Amino acid sequence: MTIPELIDVHAAWLPPEAFRAIGSRRVLVHADGPLAETVRDEVVHACGLYGGSVPHPVSDQVGDQQVDLVLALSSMAALPAVAEEVRGEALREFGPDACGAEGFVLACRDGVTVVLADEPAGLLYGLFQVVRLGESAFGSARPVERHRPATRRRMIDHWDNIDVHPVMGQVERGYAGGSIFWQNGALRGDLTRVRAYGRLLAACGVNAVAVNNVNVHAAEARLLTDRLGDVVAIADALRPYGIRVHLSVNFASPIALGGLPTADPLDESVREWWARTTERVYATIPDFGGYLVKADSEGQPGPFAYGRSHADGANMLADAAAPFGGVVHWRAFVYNHRQDWRDRSTDRARAAFDHFAPLDGRFRDNAILQVKHGPMDFQVREPLSPVIAALPATRLAVEFQVTQEYTGQQRHVCYLAPMWSETLGFRPWGDGGRTVADVVADGPAAGGAGDLVAVSNVGDDPFWTGHPLAQANLYAFGRLAWAPRTDPVAILDEWIDLTFVPSATGDPERLRRTLHEMMDESWTTYERYTAPLGVGFMVRPGHHYGPDVDGYEYTPWGTYHFADRDGVGVDRTRASGTGFTGQYPPPWSDVYESLTECPDELLLFFHHVPYGHVLHDGSTVVQHIYDTHFEGAERVAETRLRWEKLAGDGLVAPELHARVKERLDEQLRSAEEWRDQVNAYFFRKSGVPDAHGRRIH
Ligand code: GCW
């Protein structure tokens, strides 16, 4: 295999220079299997660039070979002496199953760096860990450390269509151009970019990709049957980097593709159709990952049409996939999107729990309930979805959105890892209880580890993600899915060190400092100038970019803020509201219920309060809105100036500098528009002037 190299496409976090430390050394790769070939090819490629060498492991001489880096399977009969020592120590310290299917141990002693893994996938991840460490992987002694992913599947879901959809475009909620898989209604002829993508994903730990949109339109439905060849080709391109391919399927496929009169999950002919179809998929792609399903949601077909439950629907597909080791990711994003805004008893936030909590224990082992991290829809601030704490006997996947649908659409800088990290560290059962990361990692009492999933932000844009700094979100998702407790600031450091530092001339410290200043708090900056205190939305309907405070207020979508002349917010209490707070276990059911205990940042998610309500910091709600909106826009102006100062210093490539600058200009324009619309709106509603007398229109 040749290492995928692209012209005119940004190298993201794998520029050739990131391999300098490895490529200038003597490296022994001692392993068999297809992924081991990838490791070898990577090392050979790097050494070709930087003058290192890759001696062949000749088994009876392996022990004597003089090398700087050993990448070996721990099962190999003969290892160099230091690697033998590391193997022995790892065994003593971590036991026989030290690494599992994807982990590795890393050590450096006597000047030799050693990576050992039980399976080739572990070696691949170990190699990329050495890339991350760069020079610091070599030379000085490093005790044996073990790295194992916390989650079974670290998955990216593409919302790509084959065709360009009249409203949504080719990539639904995509802000980085067209699909990297399809063009002009067909699979792209050259999949080098897909291979390069797989390589980037492996380098941050991702091991699964769903290739098509969960809203499965007519052409895309056929990927399951007569267009399966497209999926085969994508799987072939991603396989060398340890990535399995999954497919979004349409629940009504037996009707649309199979010509059956029904898609009833309990109908024998329907079950038979799925069984046969799935058998064919696995005969063609033996390592196929499984199905992803959005059913009875936003117009997609599902089991409700037949009076069946979501467990019936998911289990039918799970049964079809089970003989081949496949899984079904069944989305919990089910709610009534045709609600009457006048109906105050329906609360969209409640929907997923109401639908799925009663089904706990009824899902097959290979059916995984995929839950958006918040109860609404990827807003800049939401509480945790109570579903995550409500199904102890069901396998869960938590879904994040790397694509910045509601967080600036890759025109705004918004580093999302701090938000995800907060979610993963949240303790649904209170202090001393398990975290979300624990729930995902350990799985239900009965099953194995769960999954972390995110919606992709990648397209055919030369910078992959439209906004070059949005690459950090994809990288950070992978790293958090591997190790959920990692500090997002440390992840950003890694990303900067890989993406920019190796090729920067000048003072990399300055670059690092500037990027941290621009990105570390960009999420809360975005929150400051958009919808306040957890209330959400206030975006333009349809495309969801830019402010429109009442845009969704009288729509059927269930996303309201209820602002009037006296106050704002959604009463979700048990005492007087929709009762949503009761979906949480204690202590949160009480904390959120209580007006005094509810955290400020979620106040308007749970309560309707007067504008004069005093927050914990002593400010009133309306003054808080003014202050944060002025401050948010100011912060964006500062961010923009910081970036301008980096121009022309050789710290970042001129094209990249120009692209980020153009986006920052737009971010500032948009942030000011948000500030002015939101402030004007609340000033006009409340009549309360700004305590600091600033200009409100
Ligand atoms: O956030 C909403 C988006 C839809 C999306 C849906 C979902 C794929 O606006 O575009 O559809 O969520 O998650 O299914």
Side-chain angles (χ1 to χ4, degrees):
M1 187 198 69
T2 53
I3 302 307
E5 281 179 298
L6 298 165
I7 312 164
D8 297 334
V9 177
H10 187 244
W13 51 87
L14 290 181
E17 296 90 342
F19 290 81
R20 191 192 308 266
I22 293 176
S24 53
R25 288 186 156 81
R26 292 162 301 180
V27 187
L28 181 74
V29 180
H30 197 26
D32 318 305
L35 288 183
E37 279 314 302
T38 305
V39 174
R40 188 186 316 280
D41 293 342
E42 285 284 351
V43 170
V44 168
H45 182 73
C47 289
L49 292 175
Y50 295 105
S53 59
V54 194
H56 264 288
V58 182
S59 50
D60 54 343
Q61 296 160 15
V62 145
D64 306 324
Q65 275 166 334
Q66 291 298 309
V67 291
D68 309 301
L69 170 63
V70 179
L71 294 150
L73 284 183
S74 47
S75 56
M76 289 322 235
L79 290 177
V82 267
E84 290 284 9
E85 282 174 32
V86 171
R87 170 159 66 183
E89 206 174 308
L91 187 67
R92 281 194 299 282
E93 206 164 318
F94 307 114
D97 183 29
C99 303
E102 297 181 302
F104 58 92
V105 292
L106 172 74
C108 183
R109 61 178 55 184
D110 305 335
V112 182
T113 301
V114 178
V115 175
L116 295 178
D118 298 340
E119 301 289 337
L123 278 192
L124 184 64
Y125 296 121
L127 169 76
F128 286 122
Q129 177 67 10
V130 178
V131 172
R132 249 189 298 279
L133 294 170
E135 274 304 321
S136 70
F138 297 96
S140 44
R142 174 182 281 272
V144 182
E145 45 185 71
R146 176 172 64 159
H147 298 251
R148 274 175 80 135
T151 46
R152 174 122 115 210
R153 272 175 221 82
R154 302 167 301 279
M155 181 165 174
I156 292 290
D157 287 0
H158 280 252
W159 286 353
D160 294 23
N161 301 312
I162 297 176
D163 294 323
V164 177
H165 185 272
V167 180
M168 289 298 172
Q170 190 179 16
V171 179
E172 180 153 349
R173 310 306 179 187
Y175 310 105
S179 168
I180 58 169
F181 303 130
W182 293 281
Q183 193 177 34
N184 302 329
L187 187 73
R188 286 172 182 271
D190 178 4
L191 293 182
T192 310
R193 183 155 188 175
V194 178
R195 294 203 292 131
Y197 177 55
R199 183 174 185 241
L200 286 170
L201 291 182
C204 64
V206 169
N207 66 356
V209 165
V211 296
N212 65 309
N213 190 1
V214 289
N215 292 323
V216 187
H217 308 295
E220 295 77 12
R222 290 168 44 209
L223 290 169
L224 179 62
T225 52
D226 58 309
R227 292 196 72 155
L228 187 61
D230 292 15
V231 188
V232 172
I234 297 170
D236 287 347
L238 295 176
R239 185 174 297 111
Y241 287 98
I243 293 165
R244 283 181 169 209
V245 157
H246 297 239
L247 192 63
S248 296
V249 293
N250 188 308
F251 191 79
S253 295
I255 303 173
L257 304 171
L260 297 181
T262 174
D264 181 349
L266 300 189
D267 182 288
E268 254 327 298
S269 61
V270 170
R271 300 178 65 82
E272 181 51 34
W273 186 86
W274 279 109
R276 264 188 298 109
T277 303
T278 307
E279 197 181 330
R280 204 173 327 113
V281 171
Y282 277 93
T284 323
I285 312 171
D287 61 354
F288 179 71
Y291 298 138
L292 167 61
V293 190
K294 172 176 179 178
D296 290 316
S297 169
E298 300 184 334
Q300 292 296 302
F304 284 163
Y306 309 98
R308 310 299 185 194
S309 76
H310 278 250
D312 294 331
N315 289 344
M316 169 191 62
L317 294 173
D319 288 345
F324 314 99
V327 295
V328 174
H329 287 93
W330 188 271
R331 293 179 89 227
F333 184 60
V334 178
Y335 69 100
N336 176 6
H337 71 290
R338 298 212 176 93
Q339 107 175 49
D340 185 336
W341 61 268
R342 287 158 291 217
D343 160 22
R344 296 293 291 262
S345 66
T346 303
D347 178 5
R348 173 164 163 185
R350 293 188 56 120
F353 181 103
D354 285 343
H355 284 301
F356 288 94
L359 299 179
D360 188 33
R362 291 188 42 202
F363 290 94
R364 300 280 191 266
D365 269 0
N366 62 331
I368 301 164
L369 189 64
Q370 184 163 315
V371 187
K372 289 191 182 186
H373 65 86
M376 293 297 280
D377 198 0
F378 298 136
Q379 299 304 292
V380 67
R381 176 77 68 173
E382 289 190 43
L384 184 77
S385 166
V387 174
I388 293 167
L391 288 96
T394 303
R395 277 227 240 159
L396 291 183
V398 172
E399 183 180 307
F400 292 135
Q401 197 184 37
V402 179
T403 192
Q404 291 170 236
E405 177 177 0
Y406 291 100
T407 50
Q409 305 203 345
Q410 280 131 258
R411 293 189 243 182
H412 297 220
V413 184
C414 192
Y415 179 51
L416 292 165
M419 170 165 85
W420 302 330
S421 169
E422 210 172 281
T423 301
L424 291 165
F426 186 81
R427 295 179 192 276
W429 296 275
D431 288 349
R434 296 195 302 157
T435 62
V436 170
D438 295 333
V439 175
V440 172
D442 304 341
D451 303 340
L452 219 56
V453 178
V455 183
S456 163
N457 63 350
V458 157
D460 67 359
D461 169 71
F463 292 101
W464 295 94
T465 51
H467 200 311
L469 302 187
Q471 289 176 7
N473 284 329
L474 185 59
Y475 180 82
F477 167 74
R479 297 291 288 146
L480 280 175
W482 178 285
R485 287 171 196 87
T486 318
D487 174 12
V489 174
I491 296 177
L492 195 64
D493 245 359
E494 281 180 13
W495 175 76
I496 295 168
D497 278 349
L498 288 168
T499 306
F500 294 105
V501 173
S503 53
T505 55
D507 176 9
E509 258 324 302
R510 209 181 118 220
L511 175 66
R512 193 177 285 118
R513 207 173 42 242
T514 303
L515 286 168
H516 277 292
E517 285 164 355
M518 292 174 64
M519 297 175 74
D520 284 353
E521 289 175 26
S522 51
W523 163 50
T524 48
T525 295
Y526 186 84
E527 179 183 30
R528 275 183 167 76
Y529 61 80
T530 57
L533 297 166
V535 78
F537 293 89
M538 299 190 170
V539 290
R540 297 259 159 81
H543 59 59
H544 298 166
Y545 186 74
D548 188 346
V549 179
D550 278 340
Y552 271 107
E553 202 56 18
Y554 306 101
T555 70
W557 293 94
T559 51
Y560 316 119
H561 55 66
F562 301 116
D564 59 21
R565 64 178 185 175
D566 300 317
V568 56
V570 191
D571 184 353
R572 294 193 160 105
T573 63
R574 307 191 279 293
S576 52
T578 69
F580 171 70
T581 57
Q583 294 186 341
Y584 289 89
W588 296 106
S589 52
D590 299 323
V591 170
Y592 292 145
E593 176 81 7
S594 155
L595 190 54
T596 49
E597 282 181 59
C598 182
D600 285 346
E601 68 275 11
L602 290 169
L603 182 69
L604 303 183
F605 193 94
F606 288 105
H607 298 273
H608 184 90
V609 297
Y611 292 117
H613 174 87
V614 179
L615 300 172
H616 292 110
D617 69 2
S619 176
T620 62
V621 164
V622 72
Q623 190 58 43
H624 171 91
I625 293 176
Y626 298 151
D627 289 346
T628 49
H629 283 75
F630 282 114
E631 197 190 321
E634 265 161 41
R635 287 182 179 207
V636 175
E638 286 161 16
T639 298
R640 186 170 156 278
L641 284 181
R642 289 201 163 98
W643 184 254
E644 278 189 351
K645 289 197 191 128
L646 283 187
D649 288 0
L651 288 173
V652 293
E655 321 80 70
L656 188 138
H657 191 275
R659 173 67 77 89
V660 174
K661 184 184 172 330
E662 158 214 315
R663 304 271 149 154
L664 285 166
D665 290 348
E666 163 55 18
Q667 182 176 0
L668 182 58
R669 187 208 61 75
S670 173
E672 288 175 351
E673 194 188 341
W674 269 101
R675 174 197 66 196
D676 293 339
Q677 283 203 28
V678 172
N679 283 348
Y681 181 93
F682 285 104
F683 174 62
R684 290 175 191 182
K685 282 267 163 177
S686 70
V688 179
D690 172 31
H692 306 296
R694 288 163 293 195
R695 176 137 198 243
I696 295 183
H697 299 264

